[in-house]
Amino acid sequence: MRIDPLAFLDTELDALREQGLYRRLRILEDRQQATAHVDGRSVVNLSSNNYLGLTTHPMLIERAIQAIREHGVGSGSVRTIAGTMTLHMELEERLARFKKTDAVVVFQSGFTANAGTVSALLTKEDVIISDELNHASIIDGCRLSRAAIKVFPHKDVDAARRIAHALPAGQRKLLITDGVFSMDGDVGPLPGLCAVAEETGCIMMVDDAHASGVFGQNGRGTIDHFGVHGRVDIQVGTLSKAIGALGGYVAGSKALIDFLHHRARPFLFSTSHPPSVAATCIAALDVLEQEPQIIDRLWANTRFFKAGLQRLGFDTGMSESPITPVMAGEGSRAMKLSDRLFEEGVFAQGIAFPTVARDRARVRTIVTATHTQDELQFALDQFEKVGRELELI
Ligand SMILES: Cc1ncc(COP(=O)(O)O)c(C=O)c1O
């Protein structure tokens, strides 16, 4: 009889169950919106990255349907063979103007944009200087490149400077940070890091996945927020969060984008977006240009909710953005908090190791522009009830 070579997986899964870290996928039964139906319940939804509520914006839906009618449901090929449609080109031109760069290339996701770009640009002869809390897609890109990886403590510009200065003058090196850190909601120290890159000749790269549509004029991101246009060589953004659809992109010089067309493996070896996705993203850029007040609503809701949590006495870490963690310590405690909130009608996902350090587990909340104050007050009331029950406040 054949012995199951995957039997060890049961042991691994049992260990997760024992530690209270085993997760069942929650199922969204209708639309991704402020109050949603999840696992048979109507819940106030604080778990999505749908910052501006664009997943259900009527104009975006119309444009997607129109694109399907005109161009079909799929692109049928990778970009470099037959899968580049006029809509893909139009989206890239619009994004380049939006980000104030010479050119843009769109990838299938923010993950592939980061991993594909870092692994294409750097080789085993090179060095990457990376913030310790950078996103997994950056870490995977660094590993794939086989470059030496030097990690600096979170947001520590002086530590990054010391590492960069210690390297030989001719060394090719990349300095990389998230614009907004996805689990803590704090903002990368862009002006300081740009200065380090300029002093030491580093390529400067910022992953603005959680800042695009949220920070800066019309949601242009942290580069615009800090006024460091022209000082960041590579900007990554995502189309999957505030933009409401799917995808990632790299914005930079024409030479950078041309090089990625030839060397970025997800661009070369994975089929491009369906035309409806490109059309949706173009429509989202129209919304950012024509209705910037939705970004103001996002920030008003962010201030209201964050202040409410802090008034109740929760530890909300170092957040400076609509991502507000509610710190819970041990992983099992964060999962318990999340589960009890869900029973009370609030969907806020628990985040534990390996996504965050073992003793820094949390429930991660994100408000959107489309939450009403009543929905947010309801959520705060449930946080108060469950927080007292679990002795977090
Ligand atoms: C900081 C950061 N970068 C990149 C990504 C990947 O973006 P996408 O979901 O479009 O693949 C994420 C998403 O979780 C993220 O949080």
Side-chain angles (χ1 to χ4, degrees), residues 3 48 64 103 132 185 202 208 246 312 374-375 393:
I3 295 167
S48 84
E132 66 176 330
C202 290
D208 244 356
L246 175 70
L312 290 171
D374 282 353
E375 286 170 326
I393 51 173

Side-chain angles (χ1 to χ4, degrees), residues 90-101:
E90 188 185 335
L91 174 59
E92 288 173 342
E93 280 160 27
R94 286 289 301 274
L95 284 168
R97 254 188 284 147
F98 181 65
K99 288 283 171 171
K100 300 189 177 175
T101 59

Side-chain angles (χ1 to χ4, degrees), residues 131-132 152-158 181 186-189 318 320:
D131 187 289
E132 66 176 330
F152 59 92
H154 186 46
K155 293 178 50 164
D156 189 338
V157 175
D158 289 335
F181 290 87
D186 55 341
V187 176
M318 36 197 183
E320 303 166 76

Side-chain angles (χ1 to χ4, degrees), residues 6 10 13 74 98 115 159 182 187 234 237 280 287 304 313 325 328 365 375 385:
L6 290 177
D10 292 329
L13 290 167
F98 181 65
S182 58
V187 176
I234 308 171
T280 307
V287 171
F304 176 80
T365 67
E375 286 170 326
K385 177 175 175 184

Side-chain angles (χ1 to χ4, degrees), residues 40-318:
R41 264 173 198 275
S42 175
V43 286
V44 172
N45 181 3
L46 298 175
S47 286
S48 84
N49 301 308
N50 182 26
Y51 291 101
L52 302 175
L54 296 189
T55 54
T56 53
H57 192 290
M59 183 183 57
L60 273 64
I61 294 172
E62 270 318 304
R63 296 266 198 100
I65 292 169
Q66 197 186 328
I68 289 174
R69 292 228 165 84
E70 284 175 21
H71 303 281
V73 292
S75 77
S77 171
V78 300
R79 288 286 299 273
T80 47
I81 299 183
T84 296
M85 301 172 113
T86 47
L87 280 169
H88 296 125
M89 299 307 290
E90 188 185 335
L91 174 59
E92 288 173 342
E93 280 160 27
R94 286 289 301 274
L95 284 168
R97 254 188 284 147
F98 181 65
K99 288 283 171 171
K100 300 189 177 175
T101 59
D102 290 340
V104 156
V105 55
V106 169
F107 286 78
Q108 297 81 358
S109 68
F111 196 106
T112 53
N114 271 328
T117 300
V118 174
S119 59
L121 285 176
L122 286 303
T123 70
K124 62 180 186 338
E125 317 300 331
D126 304 327
V127 177
I128 299 171
I129 307 169
S130 176
D131 187 289
E132 66 176 330
L133 295 189
N134 277 345
H135 189 254
S137 53
I138 293 176
I139 297 169
D140 284 10
C142 294
R143 289 177 181 157
L144 281 169
S145 75
R146 295 186 295 152
I149 304 165
K150 307 235 176 242
V151 174
F152 59 92
H154 186 46
K155 293 178 50 164
D156 189 338
V157 175
D158 289 335
R161 176 175 280 114
R162 279 194 296 277
I163 295 170
H165 274 287
L167 293 168
Q171 175 71 61
R172 183 175 301 156
K173 45 199 177 293
L174 173 77
L175 178 54
I176 184 162
T177 182
D178 279 359
V180 172
F181 290 87
S182 58
M183 294 299 139
D184 290 281
D186 55 341
V187 176
L190 265 53
L193 292 177
C194 286
V196 172
E198 286 154 5
E199 283 162 27
T200 56
C202 290
I203 305 164
M204 181 72 209
M205 177 164 170
V206 176
D207 171 13
D208 244 356
H210 285 277
S212 302
V214 177
F215 280 83
Q217 188 202 11
N218 298 83
R220 282 181 166 76
T222 54
I223 282 87
D224 192 81
H225 170 76
F226 283 116
V228 291
H229 287 288
R231 300 177 67 190
V232 174
D233 303 293
I234 308 171
Q235 299 183 43
V236 168
T238 177
L239 303 164
S240 327
K241 304 186 194 300
I243 297 298
L246 175 70
Y249 54 94
V250 177
S253 68
K254 283 208 161 58
L256 170 70
I257 303 310
D258 207 10
F259 180 81
L260 294 176
H261 284 171
H262 290 84
R263 285 287 179 270
R265 293 170 71 82
F267 184 84
L268 292 167
F269 297 115
S270 184
T271 296
S272 58
H273 281 153
S276 54
V277 170
T280 307
C281 296
I282 294 168
L285 292 172
D286 289 341
V287 171
L288 289 182
E289 277 164 22
Q290 291 158 20
E291 299 176 37
Q293 60 277 14
I294 60 171
I295 303 173
D296 299 337
R297 281 207 296 278
L298 169 67
W299 280 100
N301 280 347
T302 298
R303 283 189 291 273
F304 176 80
F305 191 67
K306 216 186 274 293
L309 285 173
Q310 286 163 359
R311 211 175 308 116
L312 290 171
F314 285 105
D315 174 1
T316 56
M318 36 197 183

Side-chain angles (χ1 to χ4, degrees), residues 311-364:
R311 211 175 308 116
L312 290 171
F314 285 105
D315 174 1
T316 56
M318 36 197 183
S319 167
E320 303 166 76
S321 74
I323 301 171
T324 308
V326 175
M327 307 310 271
E330 288 290 301
S332 56
R333 212 145 170 246
M335 296 310 171
K336 180 80 188 161
L337 174 61
S338 173
D339 288 344
R340 281 289 298 117
L341 285 167
F342 192 78
E343 285 164 12
E344 300 296 336
V346 176
F347 180 24
Q349 196 62 269
I351 311 279
F353 182 81
T355 310
V356 293
R358 280 186 201 280
D359 59 344
R360 297 198 47 83
R362 67 205 59 188
V363 159
R364 176 175 177 261

